[in-house]
Amino acid sequence: MKVLKFGGSSVANAGNILKVIEIIKERSEGEQLILVASAMGGVTNLLEKAGEQSKAGDEGYQITLNEIGERHFRAIRDIVPLKKQSPIIGDIKILLNELDDLCNGIFLLHELFPKTRDYLLGFGERLSSVIISAALNHNQITTELLDARDLIVTDESYGQAQVLFERTDKKISEKVKEIDSHIFVPGFVARSADGNDTTLGRGGSDYTAAILAAAVDASELEIWTDVDGVMTADPNLVETAMPLEKMSYEEIMELSHFGARVVFPPTLQPVMRKNIPLWIKNTFKPNIPGTLICRDGKQNGHAIKGLSHVNHTVLLTLTGAGMVGVTGIAARFFSTLSREKVNVIFITQASSEHSITAAINKQDLKRAKNSLIKEFENEMALSKIDALQVDENLSVIALVGDKMKSSIGLSGKAFNALGKNGINIRAIAQGSTERNISLVVSDRDITKVLNVLHETFFLSKYKKVHLFMVGVGNVGSALLEQIHEQFDYLKNEYALEIKVVGLANSRKMLFDEKSVDLNHWKTDLLEKGEVMSRMAFLQKMKEMNLRNSVFVDNTASVSIAGLYEEVLQQSISVVASNKIAASSQYENYKNLNNLAKARNVKYLYETNVGAGLPILKTIQGMMKSGDKIFSIQAVLSGSLNFIFNNFVEGTSFSDVVKLAIKEGYTEPDPRIDLSGQDVMRKILILGRECGIPLEFDTVENKSFMPGQLMKMESVSEFLEALPQYDPYFENIRKDAERRQTKLRYVAELDRGKAHVGLQNADASQPYYQLDGKDNIVLIFSKRYSEQPLVVKGAGAGAPVTASGVFADIISVVNQ
Ligand code: ADP
Ligand code: ASP
Ligand code: MG
């Protein structure tokens, strides 16, 4: 014999009920079935609503009751042929009249006692069972409808009555023996030994099915619902949640205790006692296997099977010096809560015995608090125990898996991943079975925490990276293009899903949690964007509170660089091609780097020197591995190198500068390159990475640009005046040509000092052969003392800079 239970959404309307009938039809031949169903989806909530309205004297309860009636009549009309409808409609009407009388009574008395409430809520299953069993019979599946209240005996703990198993089992097995056909039993409802209607608790139809399955020693229990099985996390919050093939009773017990609604927790006890395999299956996809829950729930794979959570919880903490070594405090604490029927979700006690903490549901707070204050009144008056501490708006998250006990370092891994995402963990507990680690975090962080953990323990197929990008000029646009092009490759090969969730230029900003559409970001930014404000951008990043967030700065703006500190404070990594912060005052540079370390996030600016060339990484690697850098010689300006390489006989300096601008090799203001300022910043950053606390104004610069020219107000005035100075530049060029040298703007770091300036490089020098916009860096160190370590390659241009930024982004998440 098998027991099949169908949940609220599976029987929510005629269409769904017909799907249920198909499923039953397939299983009904050759084997007796016991069928259990919930109320039609949403009806129990409507009954609650009607009860509250009646109690409050609100006549609107009539409308709510009409809505309930209409849903059932509609289902009958849609399922049962017209000629056969009237007896069923009659049965439904009798129930609706009883319900109407009940609500009228509540309305008149302004009173809704727990006992009445149970009676009221039970109508949902009583109504649905009439319709579904009739529908079965009309589909040639002969079924006898039994009243669950005659079978399941409980105590009178209204709201969630306790089953008296001995009497219940006996009643069920005796009744079932009398029947040859299939049997239909409404879920959720029961009756006390004294004859009062009770319920098994919200979601309790699962339990009804398990009670029946255990009483008849069923070969299997199937719970049919609206998801593909037990998922690795709540699919409403974790998009990448996946169904589990198999799990143990203990695992599902932990998951459901910690909020995974898919199975009502008490359901497990009867099936476990009788060792009955339990299947969770999807009514809407009957052909996929679903999840099998059984004694040996082994599934190859990860130590953590799934995550679950309970939100809107409260932490209650009792502390006090007078608790140390005093026996019985914990016992009194928990027995008080138990007496008040407060469900304790989570417990921790400091090993000093100085404090006990319990997490409870918010709705139990008032009862719990009052009773605990009363219980410890004397101790509190004598200051042996401090006042009860209450922390609200929290969630408890559980990581669950049988294999957790044999895996080392899981909690470390979880805390590390959460720390990197700026999550504050309020309390931690590990179950003594080592099958569960639970964490308490703020309600506000719940989606982020679940997703971070889901990704960390490889329960997700992809790791999502959320980018907030400011600056869509040459580098920014090239980066967006590369991200767009690489999207599938990164997803398939590296399981990374890169989403641009915030995008801004100096005028507009645009946000989309699902990702800005990179096919037409330009028009979207222009047309749908809000007015850009730095503070609003920052605020929005905070509010979106997304995991693996990276702030990407491709501007040359001082004010955007000024945001990094706040961004890092939010535990959001920063990747910048903007050099301003790294070349600002040493204290700021150091502070940002320290802050990133303290927050366990990254501040990366590889492209500040040599665009996409791995220069900073190389120096950092050498330093970390204990090398000592003595000196650096470098050509660091791709723009100046491009200019000098193209400044040949027959050209003019001003034309070559304009060409460099056109090709996108210069800073937005080309004077920053021409003055050597850009090179100064770069050697400054290199020096700092070598551990020298350099300041910008200590970098010596022998500029070759005429002073008058550099004093121009704007870029356009400067470019207009530039041709007048062509003869001056031509002289410099001719001089170099005569000496058979090449003009190179060289930066040097030596004995703690940095200087930059124009040099004539002869053929023997490594800078001599340096094509186009290339950069070269020669590093002399303890390990590279005879021959320097050389990094050489294209050092300017939007595509290479963007690819360097891209590489930084990837290394933020792939650390
Ligand atoms: P039914 O009405 O069929 O009893 P429920 O709504 O009680 O269905 O339970 C199924 C729902 O549980 C799913 O639709 C899903 O939203 C939620 N849920 C929460 N956590 C999980 C999980 N880990 N696996 C599957 N479903 C989950
Ligand atoms: N109808 C009840 C509820 O909504 C019981 C159930 O569906 O399992 O809580
Ligand atoms: Mg349910």
Side-chain angles (χ1 to χ4, degrees):
M1 195 181 299
K2 266 191 196 159
V3 179
L4 274 61
K5 177 259 169 180
F6 297 88
S9 44
S10 304
V11 296
N13 52 47
N16 294 359
I17 293 174
L18 291 173
K19 291 196 172 89
V20 165
I21 288 176
E22 283 308 309
I23 293 167
I24 297 173
K25 216 182 243 170
E26 259 196 29
R27 289 165 160 70
S28 63
E29 271 172 38
E31 187 172 24
Q32 191 182 16
L33 300 177
I34 298 184
L35 307 162
V36 177
S38 292
M40 293 174 80
V43 166
T44 315
N45 287 346
L46 286 174
L47 289 165
E48 284 239 44
K49 182 176 165 193
E52 290 305 320
Q53 287 172 313
S54 310
K55 182 183 161 193
D58 173 359
E59 284 180 0
Y61 82 85
Q62 298 275 10
I63 299 174
T64 311
L65 292 188
N66 285 345
E67 191 182 337
I68 295 174
E70 190 40 46
R71 282 198 51 191
H72 292 87
F73 292 131
R74 201 182 314 138
I76 297 170
R77 283 196 300 271
D78 291 347
I79 302 176
V80 185
L82 188 63
K83 276 194 268 166
K84 298 187 173 168
Q85 281 175 10
S86 61
I88 306 160
I89 291 179
D91 287 349
I92 292 289
K93 278 197 176 149
I94 293 171
L95 284 168
L96 289 175
N97 287 341
E98 191 183 332
L99 176 60
D100 199 42
D101 288 347
L102 175 62
C103 286
N104 192 33
I106 301 168
F107 178 82
L108 293 174
L109 294 171
H110 288 282
E111 206 87 74
L112 177 56
F113 294 110
K115 180 175 169 181
T116 322
R117 193 170 167 274
D118 267 19
Y119 175 34
L120 171 70
L121 296 194
F123 274 90
E125 272 68 9
R126 290 169 62 198
L127 286 161
S128 69
S129 56
V130 171
I131 297 181
I132 305 164
S133 61
L136 284 165
N137 286 322
H138 286 291
N139 280 278
Q140 288 75 47
I141 305 169
T142 320
T143 312
E144 182 160 339
L145 174 61
L146 299 182
D147 189 335
R149 297 171 300 171
D150 297 336
L151 300 174
I152 300 177
V153 189
T154 68
D155 68 3
E156 295 197 346
S157 318
Y158 296 107
Q160 184 160 341
Q162 301 303 305
V163 176
L164 306 176
F165 272 99
E166 232 172 273
R167 294 165 71 171
T168 301
D169 286 348
K170 189 159 173 274
K171 282 191 177 227
I172 295 171
S173 54
E174 279 173 9
K175 186 75 195 169
V176 170
K177 262 189 220 132
E178 293 169 12
I179 304 168
D180 293 328
S181 66
H182 302 304
I183 296 169
F184 193 100
V185 183
F188 186 49
V189 289
R191 190 177 282 147
S192 76
D194 286 345
N196 293 312
D197 279 16
T198 55
T199 64
L200 303 178
R202 291 301 306 268
S205 296
D206 296 342
Y207 193 22
T208 306
I211 295 165
L212 288 159
V216 301
D217 282 313
S219 60
E220 250 174 35
L221 167 60
E222 294 179 358
I223 292 188
W224 291 80
T225 180
D226 57 358
V227 274
D228 292 350
V230 179
M231 317 278 279
T232 46
D234 184 344
N236 300 301
L237 300 185
V238 178
E239 224 179 87
T240 46
M242 286 170 295
L244 291 157
E245 211 178 290
K246 208 174 176 194
M247 62 199 310
S248 69
Y249 294 123
E250 289 81 3
E251 284 173 330
I252 184 71
M253 217 137 93
E254 296 281 354
L255 277 183
S256 62
H257 173 73
F258 282 90
R261 184 160 50 103
V262 63
V263 182
F264 181 61
T267 308
L268 283 320
Q269 194 245 329
V271 285
M272 220 170 134
R273 177 163 46 89
K274 290 286 179 82
N275 216 354
I276 299 170
L278 165 62
W279 285 91
I280 308 293
K281 292 178 75 80
N282 191 343
T283 302
F284 307 97
K285 295 186 212 160
N287 295 326
I288 61 171
T291 303
L292 171 62
I293 299 161
C294 55
R295 175 126 302 157
D296 171 27
K298 268 192 216 111
Q299 184 184 17
N300 289 338
H302 311 297
I304 290 179
K305 271 282 180 63
L307 307 171
S308 61
H309 71 283
V310 189
N311 49 13
H312 307 312
T313 63
V314 180
L315 276 187
L316 295 177
T317 305
L318 203 61
T319 47
M323 285 165 64
V324 183
V326 178
T327 50
I329 300 255
R332 278 167 62 201
F333 183 81
F334 293 113
S335 59
T336 304
L337 294 175
S338 144
R339 207 171 47 237
E340 292 296 317
K341 298 212 160 46
V342 172
N343 178 26
V344 176
I345 306 167
F346 167 105
I347 303 165
T348 60
Q349 178 169 25
S351 57
S352 65
E353 297 184 46
H354 191 72
S355 71
I356 312 172
T357 301
I360 61 166
N361 288 314
K362 191 185 164 129
Q363 79 244 25
D364 297 335
L365 174 60
K366 209 162 151 198
R367 273 186 358 260
K369 196 171 153 187
N370 293 342
S371 58
L372 286 170
I373 290 175
K374 198 146 192 305
E375 175 70 31
F376 293 103
E377 209 171 14
N378 290 337
E379 286 85 348
M380 285 180 186
L382 296 170
S383 300
K384 285 187 178 165
I385 288 180
D386 305 333
L388 183 71
Q389 191 184 318
V390 177
D391 292 301
E392 296 189 61
N393 303 323
L394 300 171
S395 293
V396 183
I397 286 150
L399 296 96
V400 173
D402 281 343
K403 263 172 58 185
M404 280 168 73
K405 58 172 159 261
S406 51
S407 310
I408 298 163
L410 291 176
S411 31
K413 202 168 163 188
F415 301 150
N416 190 26
L418 294 176
K420 273 183 195 138
N421 277 282
I423 304 289
N424 185 13
I425 301 173
R426 306 288 291 272
I428 302 159
Q430 175 160 9
S432 57
T433 56
E434 293 185 51
R435 193 176 283 122
N436 171 331
I437 298 173
S438 338
L439 316 168
V440 179
V441 300
S442 158
D443 267 339
R444 176 179 176 270
D445 290 329
I446 186 73
T447 310
K448 190 170 172 183
V449 171
L450 285 172
N451 281 285
V452 167
L453 293 174
H454 203 259
E455 284 171 358
T456 304
F457 293 104
F458 305 106
L459 302 170
S460 293
K461 280 197 193 118
Y462 310 112
K463 183 167 180 173
K464 258 188 209 162
V465 182
H466 299 103
L467 302 186
F468 291 90
M469 270 181 65
V470 185
V472 291
N474 289 343
V475 175
S477 314
L479 178 61
L480 287 168
E481 201 178 309
Q482 291 177 8
I483 293 173
H484 194 35
E485 272 173 11
Q486 286 302 97
F487 186 84
D488 289 337
Y489 176 77
L490 286 172
K491 196 166 166 176
N492 299 335
E493 298 295 319
Y494 291 91
L496 283 180
E497 201 172 70
I498 306 222
K499 305 216 156 183
V500 179
V501 290
L503 188 63
N505 59 18
S506 55
R507 293 171 300 279
K508 291 283 183 78
M509 57 182 193
L510 181 68
F511 299 91
D512 186 343
E513 203 161 303
K514 294 255 168 271
S515 181
V516 169
D517 188 338
L518 296 185
N519 287 306
H520 38 73
W521 62 267
K522 249 185 210 154
T523 37
D524 284 357
L525 183 61
L526 193 72
E527 287 164 15
K528 297 188 200 154
E530 314 156 42
V531 174
M532 165 65 171
S533 127
R534 287 182 324 131
M535 285 308 152
F537 194 92
L538 195 66
Q539 184 56 28
K540 189 75 188 179
M541 277 202 301
K542 272 192 222 173
E543 271 166 27
M544 285 169 83
N545 196 18
L546 298 169
R547 66 194 182 281
N548 307 325
S549 288
V550 186
F551 179 73
V552 184
D553 177 9
N554 287 317
T555 70
S557 152
V558 178
S559 64
I560 299 295
L563 290 178
Y564 299 174
E565 185 173 347
E566 276 225 51
V567 175
L568 293 168
Q569 287 283 14
Q570 298 299 319
S571 297
I572 296 176
S573 292
V574 173
V575 169
S577 63
N578 183 350
K579 303 181 191 66
I580 288 174
S583 60
S584 63
Q585 289 199 322
Y586 180 74
E587 200 188 322
N588 186 44
Y589 159 88
K590 199 72 203 159
N591 176 31
L592 293 176
N593 275 293
N594 288 342
L595 186 57
K597 250 185 235 138
R599 291 265 151 199
N600 210 350
V601 292
K602 297 270 174 175
Y603 166 40
L604 299 179
Y605 41 88
E606 178 64 71
T607 50
N608 283 189
V609 182
L613 295 177
I615 300 172
L616 302 188
K617 266 189 209 86
T618 306
I619 294 181
Q620 286 157 359
M622 291 168 80
M623 298 290 292
K624 273 190 206 147
S625 65
D627 202 354
K628 193 168 163 40
I629 294 170
F630 299 131
S631 69
I632 291 180
Q633 294 170 1
V635 172
L636 293 171
S637 172
S639 6
L640 286 179
N641 207 45
F642 176 87
I643 289 169
F644 290 123
N645 276 337
N646 283 280
F647 185 27
V648 292
E649 196 170 2
T651 60
S652 72
F653 189 76
S654 57
D655 280 344
V656 178
V657 169
K658 281 173 199 154
L659 177 67
I661 297 173
K662 193 169 146 244
E663 297 283 330
Y665 296 146
T666 64
E667 290 286 312
D669 181 346
R671 290 173 298 181
I672 307 250
D673 295 301
L674 292 167
S675 65
Q677 218 184 48
D678 183 57
V679 180
M680 285 166 79
R681 283 181 183 159
K682 288 172 175 163
I683 194 74
L684 175 76
I685 297 171
L686 287 188
R688 288 174 173 179
E689 295 301 317
C690 294
I692 308 164
L694 289 174
E695 290 293 356
F696 185 75
D697 49 19
T698 64
V699 181
E700 204 184 320
N701 181 5
K702 289 192 205 107
S703 176
F704 66 96
M705 292 298 284
Q708 275 310 102
L709 183 62
M710 299 306 274
K711 283 198 190 116
M712 299 288 166
E713 283 272 310
S714 66
V715 176
S716 56
E717 278 174 274
F718 164 77
L719 289 176
E720 215 169 287
L722 188 59
Q724 295 166 31
Y725 292 82
D726 276 339
Y728 162 82
F729 294 112
E730 182 60 15
N731 272 341
I732 299 178
R733 192 193 67 74
K734 277 212 174 112
D735 179 52
E737 195 176 61
R738 189 175 41 77
R739 295 208 251 162
Q740 293 188 320
T741 57
K742 284 192 176 170
L743 290 169
R744 297 288 179 242
Y745 206 79
V746 178
E748 286 172 319
L749 182 75
D750 194 14
R751 274 163 287 171
K753 295 226 158 17
H755 41 95
V756 304
L758 194 60
Q759 290 188 12
N760 286 294
D762 63 39
S764 69
Q765 285 175 296
Y767 328 124
Y768 186 86
Q769 274 308 337
L770 203 58
D771 296 335
K773 54 193 185 307
D774 282 4
N775 278 192
I776 185 166
V777 181
L778 298 99
I779 305 170
F780 298 86
S781 71
K782 203 163 73 188
R783 291 188 193 134
Y784 291 89
S785 55
E786 281 166 22
Q787 286 295 324
L789 187 154
V790 181
V791 184
K792 185 176 170 182
V800 284
T801 310
S803 72
V805 174
F806 203 173
D808 273 355
I809 293 172
I810 304 281
S811 63
V812 167
V813 284
N814 261 358
Q815 43 189 315

